[in-house]
Amino acid sequence: MIPKDPVILLSYLNTLLRDRYPSLETLCADLELDSTEITEKLAALDYAYDASQNQFR
């Protein structure tokens, strides 16, 4: 289960991306998450996934 709060979700995902996953696609596939839903939720906070940095910025 992932956090519902967008700010906590941001921190949670960036930690996983830093420590365990080489890309957002791999993270979503492993955790069975919808990458579009996640990116839209974080876009509401003005964050976007940066593949070159492998994090939401």
Side-chain angles (χ1 to χ4, degrees), residues 13-31:
L13 292 175
N14 275 341
T15 299
L16 288 176
L17 289 166
R18 181 190 68 221
D19 296 345
R20 296 178 66 192
Y21 294 98
S23 69
L24 178 61
E25 294 77 23
T26 305
L27 181 149
C28 288
D30 190 45
L31 300 179

Side-chain angles (χ1 to χ4, degrees), residues 9 16 28 31 37 49 53-54:
L9 178 63
L16 288 176
C28 288
L31 300 179
E37 183 179 327
Y49 179 67
Q53 295 291 316
N54 193 34

Side-chain angles (χ1 to χ4, degrees), residues 32-47:
E32 299 179 358
L33 301 173
D34 181 351
S35 63
T36 302
E37 183 179 327
I38 288 172
T39 55
E40 287 175 357
K41 185 176 269 192
L42 294 179
L45 297 174
D46 292 326
Y47 282 86

